C-alpha cells in the first residue's frame, strides 16, 4: 500500500512541473550496443580501444564481439539470459560485454578481486546461466564447471564474425550491477537497454562528445560509471583508453597518461581527482594540460574548492557535477560548475537530465515548498526494473510515480535528503539512513555490521563513517569481542566476505556498546578514534625536528589532528595512497626518495624518525627487510617476485609461527639512487652479501617467489661455493620451464602442442587482422629495446622507477641460463596454475634439482596464495615443513601425505 497525495499547493505544482519539464524524444527502440555497431559501420578503421601501446579498431572490436556472441548462442544463450562476466581490465572485458549483449543476454560484472562467497551470491541471485571468464578462478569449483565458461575471448575459435542481428527488445535487461545491501548481501540493480540509451544520448548531445574524444577509463566494471565510460564513448565514435590497476593507483602516472594519450574526457569520483590535483599542487606546480575539455565528477561529495583548483592545471576543461543512483541508470541530475561561491557549503545538486524527474517530497509523498527539506525521489525512463530476486526490497524502493505516468510510471526512493534553492537548483543534504559513499562506492554500513556480527569472535559490532580533516570519509569498526580482540583475525575474516573498499580502516575495541534509554545502540555516544587511540596523557609528543616534521606530514595526509610518535600508520587508517603522499612530501623535505616498504618497516614516527636520522649520517639502502625480525628458529629469507617489493609477504608473516623470523629481499634500486643490477648472478651476490652480514654462520633457509626463485637458485650456488650450508631451497610457485622459453618463437610450438584450437584461431586472426594480432601478441610483451625505451632514466615518479628496474630484471632473466644443481627443491605450488608449462606437476624443477623435488600444493593462485584466507593454510604447511627440516636431516624426511609427496 503506497501513500496517496492528499494535498498539493498550486505554487508547488507549478514549481515541480517547470523543474521537471525534461521530456524529449530519444531512440527508445535501440539496444545498448546498437550505437556502437553503427559507429563500426561508419568508421571501421577508427581506434575504439587503447591500452598501453595496444589498440583495437571499431571493426576489430565489432568482429571480436560478434564471434563471442555466436559462440555464446551455440552454447545455448538466448535473449533474456543473465550472463556473468569475470575478467580483468583488458580488451577482453569490453569484448565480453558486447558479445553477451549481442547474444541477447544481460551482462552481470563480477570483480575477480571479490571474495568467492560474494561472487557465488551474485551467481545465484541473478540466476546466471553461465559465467564467462578468461581464467579458471576459484568460483568455477564453487558453481560447477558446467556453469563456468573459460574461454580465450580475444581469440575465440568461431568463424562467424557478422552481427548476429537478433531481435532484442529495448525493454530487455542490459546489465545488472551489484551494490551494497543492508542485510549483509549486495543488491543487484537491473537496468534495461533503453534506460542506458537515454543517458548516453543526453551526455553525448549535451556535452558535444564525438569521434575526436578520448576517455581515460579508470573505474571498475562493477561500478556504474563504467556504463557510460564504455558504451557512451563508443556510441560517440571516440576512443576508450584503459588504465591498468597499477596506473590507477599512481596519480603521477595518470597525469602523464592525460598528456600522452591526449585525453579529452575525465570521469571519476571526486576523491581520485582530488588526490591527483593535490599531487600537482605539491610536486608538479608547472603542469598544464589544455586538451582536457570535459570533467565529470559524481558518486560522492565534491570539495567546494576543487573545481577552481582544477582550472589551474586544466584551464580549458568544463567541470560538471552529476548525481543520481545506480537504481536510476548512473546519473539523473547535473550541475555545470562555472564558478564557486565562498559561502557555499556544498556544490549544488542541479537539475534533472532529459526524460528524468526529481521530486522533493514529504512523508505523505506531497511536494515540499521552496527551501523546505524533503526526501529525494527519482522518476523517468532511467528508473531500474528493480532488485534481482528481491521483491520485498523492490517494492520498498520502487513505487508508482503519482506525478508522471508517461515515462515508465515508477519512481525510486533514494533515501537522500534535499531541498530546492531559490535559483531552481537542488541542494543535496546527505543520507537519511546509514548508507554512505566511500571513495565513490556506495556502502551500506548495515552490511558490514551484519557480516561482523556473524563471526563467532564478535559479541556486538557497529560500523560508522567519520569525516577526516581532508573532507573524505573513513570507516570505523566498533567491536565488543567474544574473548580477546585480534584485529588481524577480524580483517582476515572480513576479507573473505566483503570487497576491499568495505574494510574499516580503524578498529576500536569496547567492553560494551553505549545504549539509549529505550535500549537501542547510541551511535552518537561511540568514542572517536582520537579519544581511544592513545590516552592524551600517554601519547608521546614529537621532540626532535625530524619527529615534528613527520608528525606534521602524517597529520596532513591522514587527516587526524592528534598524532603521537608511537602511533602506528596502519592503525590510524593509512593506506597505499596516503603512503605515496607521505613519501612524496618527505622527499621534498629531505631530498631523498624512499621505497614504500619503509613504512612497512618503520610504521611509527619514533622509529621512522630514527631511521631518517641514521640515514642522514650514512645513506645506505638495504635490500634486506625485516618482515618479522624476532624469533628463536632459523630465519627464512624470501626473495621478491616481479613486484620488486616485500609487502606481499606481510600476511605470511602474520600466520607463520611466532618464533620463525622472516626477512624479505627487495630489489636494488628502489631508493631511486642505486643503479639496478643487470644480471641474475649480480643480483644474487648483492642479496647474499646482506644475508651473510645478517647471519654469518648459517644455516640458511632460502626461498624465492616467482622471479625470486631464479635468484634463489643462484644464491644457493654461491652459498655452497662459500662452504656454507643451505638447509632448504624453497620455491613459491616459480616456473623453472620459463628459463627455457623466453621468446615467442619458443612458446608458440608449445601452444600448438597444448591447444590446437587456440592455435587455429591465432592463424585465422593473423590472416584476418594481422596488425591487431601482432600488437596483442607482442606489444604486450615488449622486447628489450622497447622496455628500455618505456623506462627512460629521466622519467620521474614511483611508477617509472618500477618500470626501469623491471626492464633491468627482464634483461637479466633473458641472459640467464639455469643449470642443474646438487640440492633438493621444496616446491610450494599454487593449486590454481597460471603457468604455461608442459610439466604441470613439478613446473619443470625435476630436471634441475638433482636431489629431487618435494611438492606441496597450497590453496589459491600465483597471487592469492599469499593473501587471506589462502595464506593461513600456506603458512601452516610451510611452517610444518620448516620444522621438519630443523628436526631431521632433509634427505630423511618421511613423506607426509597431508602435506605433499617426495619424487
Amino acid at each position: 500500500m503506497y501513500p496517496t497525495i492528499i494535498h498539493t499547493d498550486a505554487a508547488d505544482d507549478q514549481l515541480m512541473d517547470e523543474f521537471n519539464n525534461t521530456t524529449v524524444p530519444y531512440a527508445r527502440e535501440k539496444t545498448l550496443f546498437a550505437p556502437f555497431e553503427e559507429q563500426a559501420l561508419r568508421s571501421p578503421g577508427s581506434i575504439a580501444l587503447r591500452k598501453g601501446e595496444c589498440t583495437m579498431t571499431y571493426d576489430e572490436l565489432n568482429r571480436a564481439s560478434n564471434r563471442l556472441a555466436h559462440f555464446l548462442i551455440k552454447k545455448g544463450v538466448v535473449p533474456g539470459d543473465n550472463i556473468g562476466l569475470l575478467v580483468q581490465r583488458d580488451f577482453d572485458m569490453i569484448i565480453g560485454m558486447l558479445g553477451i549483449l549481442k547474444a541477447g543476454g544481460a551482462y552481470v560484472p563480477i570483480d575477480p578481486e571479490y571474495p568467492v562467497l560474494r561472487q557465488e551470491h551474485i551467481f545465484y541471485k541473478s540466476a546466471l546461466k553461465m559465467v564467462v571468464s578468461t581464467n579458471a578462478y576459484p568460483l568455477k569449483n564453487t558453481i560447477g564447471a558446467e556453469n563456468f565458461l573459460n574461454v580465450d575471448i580475444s581469440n575465440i575459435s568461431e568463424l562467424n564474425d557478422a552481427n548476429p542481428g537478433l531481435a532484442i527488445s529495448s525493454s530487455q535487461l542490459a546489465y545488472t550491477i551489484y551494490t551494497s545491501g543492508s542485510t549483509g548481501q549486495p543488491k543487484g540493480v537491473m537496468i534495461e537497454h533503453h534506460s542506458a540509451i537515454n543517458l548516453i544520448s543526453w551526455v553525448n548531445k549535451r556535452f558535444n562528445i564525438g569521434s575526436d574524444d578520448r576517455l581515460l577509463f579508470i573505474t571498475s566494471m562493477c561500478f556504474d560509471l563504467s556504463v557510460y565510460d564504455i558504451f557512451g564513448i563508443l556510441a560517440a565514435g571516440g576512443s576508450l583508453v584503459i588504465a591498468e590497476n597499477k596506473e590507477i593507483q599512481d596519480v603521477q602516472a595518470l597525469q602523464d597518461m592525460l598528456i600522452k594519450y591526449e585525453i579529452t574526457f575525465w570521469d571519476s569520483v571526486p576523491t581520485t581527482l582530488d588526490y591527483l590535483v593535490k599531487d600537482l599542487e605539491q610536486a608538479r606546480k608547472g603542469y598544464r594540460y589544455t586538451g582536457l575539455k570535459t570533467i565529470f565528477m559524481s558518486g560522492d561529495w565534491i570539495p567546494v574548492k576543487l573545481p577552481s583548483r582544477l582550472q589551474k592545471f586544466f584551464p580549458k576543461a568544463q567541470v560538471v557535477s552529476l548525481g543520481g543512483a545506480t537504481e536510476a541508470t548512473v546519473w539523473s541530475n547535473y550541475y555545470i560548475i562555472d564558478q564557486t561561491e565562498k559561502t557555499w557549503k556544498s556544490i549544488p545538486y542541479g537539475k534533472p537530465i532529459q526524460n528524468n524527474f526529481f521530486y522533493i517530497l514529504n512523508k505523505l509523498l506531497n511536494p515540499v515548498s521552496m527551501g523546505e527539506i524533503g526526501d529525494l525521489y527519482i522518476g523517468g525512463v532511467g528508473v531500474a526494473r528493480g532488485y534481482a530476486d528481491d521483491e520485498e526490497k523492490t517494492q520498498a524502493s520502487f513505487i508508482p510515480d503519482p506525478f508522471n505516468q508517461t515515462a515508465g510510471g515508477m519512481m525510486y526512493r533514494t533515501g537522500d535528503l534535499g531541498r530546492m534553492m531559490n535559483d531552481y537548483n537542488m541542494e543535496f543534504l546527505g543520507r537519511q539512513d546509514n548508507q554512505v559513499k566511500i571513495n565513490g562506492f556506495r556502502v551500506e554500513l548495515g552490511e558490514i555490521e551484519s557480516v561482523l556480527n556473524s563471526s563467532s569472535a564478535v559479541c556486538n559490532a557497529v560500523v560508522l563513517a567519520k569525516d577526516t580533516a581532508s573532507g573524505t570519509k573513513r570507516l570505523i569498526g566498533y567491536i565488543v569481542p567474544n574473548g580477546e580482540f585480534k584485529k588481524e583475525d577480524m580483517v582476515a575474516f572480513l576479507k573473505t566476505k566483503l570487497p576491499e573498499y568495505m574494510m574499516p580502516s580503524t578498529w576500536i575495541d569496547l567492553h560494551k556498546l553505549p545504549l539509549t534509554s529505550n535500549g537501542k545502540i547510541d551511535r552518537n555516544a561511540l568514542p572517536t578514534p582520537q579519544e581511544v587511540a592513545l590516552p592524551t596523557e600517554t601519547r608521546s609528543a614529537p621532540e626532535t625536528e625530524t619527529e615534528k616534521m613527520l608528525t606534521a606530514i602524517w597529520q596532513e595526509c591522514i587527516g587526524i589532528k592528534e598524532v603521537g610518535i608511537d602511533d602506528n600508520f596502519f592503525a590510524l587508517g593509512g593506506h597505499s595512497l596516503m603512503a605515496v603522499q607521505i613519501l612524496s612530501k618527505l622527499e621534498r623535505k629531505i631530498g631523498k626518495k624512499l621505497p614504500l616498504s619503509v613504512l612497512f618497516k618503520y610504521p611509527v614516527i619514533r622509529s621512522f624518525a630514527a631511521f631518517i636520522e641514521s640515514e642522514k649520517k650514512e645513506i645506505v639502502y638495504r635490500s634486506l627487510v625485516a618482515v618479522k625480525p624476532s624469533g628463536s628458529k632459523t630465519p627464512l629469507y624470501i626473495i621478491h617476485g616481479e613486484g620488486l617489493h616485500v609487502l606481499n609477504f606481510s600476511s605470511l608473516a602474520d600466520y607463520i609461527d611466532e618464533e620463525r623470523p622472516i626477512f624479505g629481499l627487495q630489489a636494488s634500486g628502489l631508493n631511486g639512487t642505486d643503479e639496478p643490477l643487470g644480471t641474475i648472478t649480480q643480483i644474487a651476490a648483492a642479496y647474499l652479501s646482506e644475508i651473510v652480514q645478517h647471519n654469518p654462520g648459517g644455516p640458511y633457509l632460502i626461498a624465492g617467489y616467482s622471479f625470486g626463485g631464479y635468484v634463489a637458485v643462484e644464491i644457493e650456488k654461491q652459498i655452497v661455493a662459500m662452504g656454507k650450508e643451505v638447509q632448504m631451497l624453497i620455491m613459491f610457485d616459480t616456473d623453472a620451464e620459463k628459463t627455457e622459453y623466453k621468446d615467442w618463437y619458443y612458446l608458440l610450438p608449445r601452444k600448438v602442442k597444448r591447444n590446437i584450437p587456440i592455435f587455429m584461431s591465432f592463424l585465422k586472426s593473423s590472416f584476418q587482422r594481422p596488425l591487431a594480432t601482432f600488437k596483442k601478441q607482442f606489444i604486450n610483451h615488449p622486447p628489450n629495446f622497447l622496455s628500455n625505451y618505456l623506462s627512460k632514466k629521466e622519467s620521474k615518479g614511483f611508477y617509472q622507477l618500477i618500470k626501469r628496474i623491471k626492464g633491468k630484471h627482464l634483461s637479466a632473466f633473458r641472459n640467464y641460463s639455469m643449470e642443474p644443481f646438487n640440492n633438493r627443491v621444496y616446491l610450494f605450488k599454487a593449486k590454481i596454475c597460471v603457468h604455461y608449462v608442459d610439466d604441470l606437476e613439478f613446473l619443470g624443477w625435476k630436471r634441475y634439482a638433482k636431489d629431487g623435488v618435494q611438492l606441496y600444493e597450497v590453496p589459491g593462485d600465483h597471487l592469492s596464495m599469499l593473501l587471506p584466507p589462502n595464506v593461513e593454510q600456506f603458512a601452516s604447511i610451510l611452517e610444518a615443513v620448516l620444522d621438519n627440516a630443523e628436526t631431521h636431516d632433509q634427505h630423511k624426511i618421511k613423506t607426509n601425505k597431508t602435506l605433499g609427496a617426495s619424487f
Side-chain angles (χ1 to χ4, degrees):
M1 178 70 72
Y2 303 110
T4 57
I5 300 176
I6 59 174
H7 171 75
T8 58
D9 185 88
D12 296 337
D13 289 346
Q14 183 180 1
L15 167 64
M16 189 166 59
D17 290 342
E18 293 178 359
F19 183 73
N20 286 320
N21 185 20
T22 62
T23 303
V24 296
Y26 75 105
R28 172 68 173 78
E29 77 288 350
K30 282 190 178 181
T31 55
L32 183 53
F33 60 86
F36 161 73
E37 286 187 342
E38 294 168 0
Q39 288 294 342
L41 186 63
R42 186 179 299 119
S43 305
S46 297
I47 300 300
L49 306 178
R50 182 183 295 275
K51 183 182 180 187
E53 300 304 314
C54 297
T55 61
M56 180 173 274
T57 67
Y58 272 80
D59 182 64
E60 291 166 344
L61 176 57
N62 191 44
R63 292 181 185 277
S65 58
N66 287 340
R67 285 191 292 273
L68 176 60
H70 287 292
F71 182 75
L72 293 176
I73 292 169
K74 288 183 179 179
K75 291 292 183 179
V77 174
V78 297
D81 283 341
N82 290 328
I83 308 297
L85 184 63
L86 180 61
V87 292
Q88 298 288 349
R89 297 179 62 84
D90 207 340
F91 292 177
D92 289 344
M93 175 175 62
I94 315 300
I95 297 170
M97 290 179 177
L98 288 167
I100 290 170
L101 291 171
K102 284 167 173 274
Y107 77 88
V108 183
I110 305 174
D111 194 325
E113 299 300 321
Y114 280 171
V116 175
L117 287 176
R118 192 177 183 92
Q119 295 176 350
E120 184 181 3
H121 170 82
I122 293 172
F123 175 82
Y124 288 111
K125 202 68 174 174
S126 278
L128 300 184
K129 186 160 191 175
M130 66 179 68
V131 173
V132 177
S133 182
T134 53
N135 288 293
Y137 289 105
L139 180 63
K140 178 179 180 180
N141 299 325
T142 303
I143 65 175
E146 68 276 11
N147 298 314
F148 195 97
L149 185 60
N150 190 1
V151 60
D152 185 353
I153 290 177
S154 296
N155 294 291
I156 201 162
S157 55
E158 169 62 48
L159 298 178
N160 193 345
D161 60 3
N163 293 339
L166 299 180
I168 301 172
S169 169
S170 64
S171 295
Q172 186 179 301
L173 286 186
Y175 64 86
T176 297
I177 284 181
Y178 278 76
T179 67
S180 180
S182 59
T183 61
Q185 297 291 356
K187 300 178 292 188
V189 181
M190 302 182 293
I191 300 295
E192 298 174 352
H193 283 267
H194 72 92
S195 299
I197 285 292
N198 178 73
L199 172 79
I200 288 169
S201 62
W202 173 78
V203 173
N204 290 349
K205 182 178 180 182
R206 178 63 181 82
F207 298 99
N208 195 29
I209 308 303
S211 58
D212 292 331
D213 281 293
R214 289 162 295 280
L215 186 147
L216 183 58
F217 182 47
I218 62 173
T219 59
S220 164
M221 68 172 177
C222 298
F223 192 19
D224 63 352
L225 294 191
S226 66
V227 176
Y228 175 79
D229 288 357
I230 295 168
F231 298 101
I233 201 69
L234 293 179
S239 297
L240 185 72
V241 180
I242 303 173
E244 297 183 16
N245 285 323
K246 59 186 178 182
E247 292 168 331
I248 296 171
Q249 301 291 333
D250 187 341
V251 291
Q252 290 196 357
L254 294 177
Q255 295 161 10
D256 294 337
M257 291 178 76
L258 288 170
I259 297 175
K260 177 179 179 179
Y261 298 112
E262 299 180 324
I263 300 299
T264 64
F265 197 150
W266 174 282
D267 180 26
S268 78
V269 295
T271 308
T272 304
L273 201 52
D274 191 39
Y275 272 122
L276 186 145
V277 172
K278 281 181 180 177
D279 186 81
L280 289 174
E281 291 170 337
Q282 296 164 2
R284 308 175 84 174
K285 295 181 180 180
Y287 180 101
R288 295 291 185 278
Y289 177 52
T290 59
L292 190 62
K293 75 172 190 178
T294 307
I295 295 176
F296 275 14
M297 286 187 288
S298 62
D300 210 340
W301 295 91
I302 299 175
V304 175
K305 294 182 180 179
L306 180 56
S308 58
R309 291 163 53 214
L310 282 167
Q311 292 300 321
K312 177 180 178 182
F313 303 103
F314 309 104
K316 300 294 185 180
Q318 182 181 56
V319 182
V320 185
S321 166
L322 301 106
T326 304
E327 288 86 344
T329 315
V330 192
W331 302 308
S332 303
N333 58 288
Y334 76 110
Y335 181 85
I336 298 174
I337 311 172
D338 292 323
Q339 60 182 12
T340 57
E341 303 292 341
K342 292 182 179 180
T343 57
W344 283 1
K345 294 181 180 179
S346 63
I347 300 296
Y349 212 38
K351 296 178 171 65
I353 71 170
Q354 72 176 31
N355 298 314
N356 278 243
F357 318 123
F358 255 88
Y359 310 117
I360 308 176
L361 309 176
N362 61 21
K363 299 303 179 184
L364 297 175
L365 300 188
N366 290 313
V368 301
S369 300
M370 178 83 75
E372 289 185 5
I373 297 175
D375 300 329
L376 294 179
Y377 289 76
I378 302 174
V381 302
V383 176
R385 183 184 293 183
Y387 297 119
D389 193 30
D390 201 330
E391 189 61 26
E392 182 179 351
K393 282 191 175 64
T394 296
Q395 290 190 9
S397 298
F398 299 88
I399 63 177
D401 184 345
F403 309 103
N404 195 314
Q405 297 296 316
T406 62
M410 299 294 288
M411 63 182 185
Y412 168 65
R413 190 196 310 267
T414 67
D416 296 326
L417 297 174
R419 62 185 171 190
M420 187 70 71
M421 299 189 293
N422 292 331
D423 62 352
Y424 286 81
N425 280 298
M426 293 181 292
E427 181 182 14
F428 180 80
L429 299 174
R431 299 291 302 169
Q432 57 177 290
D433 52 22
N434 66 340
Q435 190 181 86
V436 296
K437 290 286 184 71
I438 302 294
N439 292 331
F441 289 96
R442 197 172 72 189
V443 173
E444 288 272 5
L445 300 180
E447 180 178 4
I448 309 174
E449 292 174 357
S450 177
V451 172
L452 285 172
N453 284 312
S454 70
S455 169
S456 60
V458 174
C459 290
N460 294 104
V462 172
V463 178
L464 297 182
K466 294 287 189 179
D467 289 320
T468 66
S470 61
T472 60
K473 288 186 181 294
R474 61 171 170 162
L475 295 175
I476 302 172
Y478 296 87
I479 301 294
V480 178
N482 185 11
E484 181 184 1
F485 174 67
K486 295 182 178 180
K487 173 187 171 184
E488 298 79 11
D489 292 348
M490 194 59 60
V491 171
F493 169 77
L494 213 55
K495 283 185 175 180
T496 65
K497 300 179 179 295
L498 297 174
E500 190 67 31
Y501 65 83
M502 296 179 74
M503 299 292 129
S505 59
T506 302
W507 296 86
I508 296 178
D509 177 11
L510 299 174
H511 294 295
K512 63 179 181 179
L513 296 175
L515 303 177
T516 62
S517 57
N518 60 4
K520 294 184 178 181
I521 296 173
D522 188 355
R523 296 173 184 267
N524 293 327
L526 289 166
T528 64
Q530 293 88 338
E531 292 170 338
V532 298
L534 279 175
T536 304
E537 60 270 20
T538 62
R539 176 175 280 119
S540 301
E543 296 180 358
T544 69
E545 290 303 315
T546 303
E547 289 175 348
K548 291 177 181 178
M549 172 187 65
L550 285 174
T551 300
I553 292 175
W554 281 34
Q555 287 171 333
E556 180 181 354
C557 294
I558 300 177
I560 297 178
K561 293 182 180 179
E562 298 296 329
V563 175
I565 61 173
D566 293 313
D567 288 347
N568 187 290
F569 169 73
F570 299 102
L572 292 174
H575 50 69
S576 58
L577 281 174
M578 287 183 186
V580 171
Q581 279 192 311
I582 286 175
L583 296 181
S584 177
K585 288 177 179 290
L586 186 59
E587 181 184 355
R588 290 190 286 275
K589 292 283 187 181
I590 67 176
K592 180 174 175 58
K593 182 185 291 292
L594 297 174
L596 288 177
S597 61
V598 74
L599 275 172
F600 172 72
K601 190 175 182 180
Y602 305 106
V604 300
I605 289 177
R606 187 190 298 275
S607 61
F608 196 4
F611 165 72
I612 293 174
E613 291 296 336
S614 67
E615 289 282 282
K616 288 181 179 178
K617 299 172 185 176
E618 181 182 2
I619 301 176
V620 177
Y621 171 83
R622 297 190 182 280
S623 290
L624 191 72
V625 175
V627 180
K628 181 180 172 295
S630 61
S632 59
K633 295 183 177 181
T634 304
L636 174 65
Y637 300 93
I638 312 175
I639 293 90
H640 65 84
E642 292 182 9
L644 307 182
H645 59 78
V646 298
L647 295 177
N648 51 342
F649 304 141
S650 59
S651 293
L652 183 65
D654 290 339
Y655 290 103
I656 206 77
D657 188 279
E658 62 181 11
E659 291 300 320
R660 176 74 60 192
I662 293 183
F663 294 85
L665 279 301
Q666 64 184 354
S668 301
L670 281 175
N671 59 346
T673 302
D674 296 341
E675 184 69 19
L677 300 174
T679 69
I680 297 294
T681 302
Q682 292 174 344
I683 295 171
Y687 295 172
L688 178 58
S689 67
E690 295 195 31
I691 292 173
V692 172
Q693 184 180 1
H694 173 260
N695 181 14
Y700 300 100
L701 300 173
I702 304 296
Y705 170 58
S706 190
F707 168 83
Y710 314 124
V711 181
V713 169
E714 202 59 36
I715 288 176
E716 186 270 348
K717 290 181 180 180
Q718 294 182 21
I719 290 177
V720 172
M722 295 168 63
K724 298 179 182 291
E725 178 190 359
V726 177
Q727 196 171 40
M728 296 179 71
L729 177 60
I730 303 168
M731 297 296 147
F732 290 172
D733 206 44
T734 300
D735 166 16
E737 284 190 17
K738 196 172 183 179
T739 62
E740 303 167 26
Y741 53 87
K742 303 170 185 176
D743 296 295
W744 69 269
Y745 45 82
Y746 286 108
L747 182 60
L748 188 58
R750 294 168 181 266
K751 285 187 175 180
V752 175
K753 180 180 178 181
R754 286 279 304 277
N755 204 324
I756 294 295
I758 291 180
F759 178 61
M760 296 302 296
S761 175
F762 169 75
L763 291 178
K764 172 178 173 289
S765 177
S766 298
F767 285 114
Q768 292 186 344
R769 297 171 288 120
L771 181 60
T773 302
F774 174 82
K775 289 181 177 179
K776 178 174 179 60
Q777 293 295 324
F778 308 119
I779 301 299
N780 276 336
H781 307 282
N784 254 356
F785 72 90
L786 187 54
S787 295
N788 293 332
Y789 173 75
L790 292 172
S791 306
K792 299 177 185 177
K793 289 184 178 181
E794 63 268 18
S795 296
K796 296 181 181 179
F798 182 72
Y799 178 57
Q800 288 78 10
L801 176 63
I802 289 292
K803 287 202 297 184
R804 180 167 176 263
I805 299 174
K806 282 188 175 182
K808 280 278 192 176
H809 284 195
L810 177 61
S811 176
F813 173 71
R814 286 183 176 276
N815 293 310
Y816 173 63
S817 178
M818 191 162 65
E819 299 175 352
F821 49 87
N822 294 314
N823 210 327
R824 172 175 293 188
V825 162
Y826 293 81
L827 174 61
F828 291 81
K829 186 183 72 172
K831 287 185 178 179
I832 302 173
C833 182
V834 298
H835 303 290
Y836 192 87
V837 292
D838 289 332
D839 182 9
L840 289 171
E841 189 169 12
F842 302 106
L843 303 185
W845 284 106
K846 285 186 70 177
R847 74 189 67 176
Y848 294 104
K850 292 183 178 180
D851 288 351
V853 179
Q854 188 89 6
L855 175 64
Y856 306 89
E857 279 200 340
V858 296
D861 59 23
H862 189 68
L863 298 176
S864 65
M865 63 185 285
L866 289 170
L867 300 174
N870 299 326
V871 70
E872 183 174 5
Q873 186 176 345
F874 178 19
S876 176
I877 296 173
L878 175 63
E879 184 58 41
V881 174
L882 296 177
D883 285 343
N884 222 8
E886 288 189 321
T887 306
H888 308 286
D889 182 270
Q890 63 177 349
H891 294 288
K892 296 179 182 179
I893 296 177
K894 295 182 179 180
T895 300
N896 186 334
K897 294 184 179 179
T898 61
L899 297 179
S902 182
F903 300 89

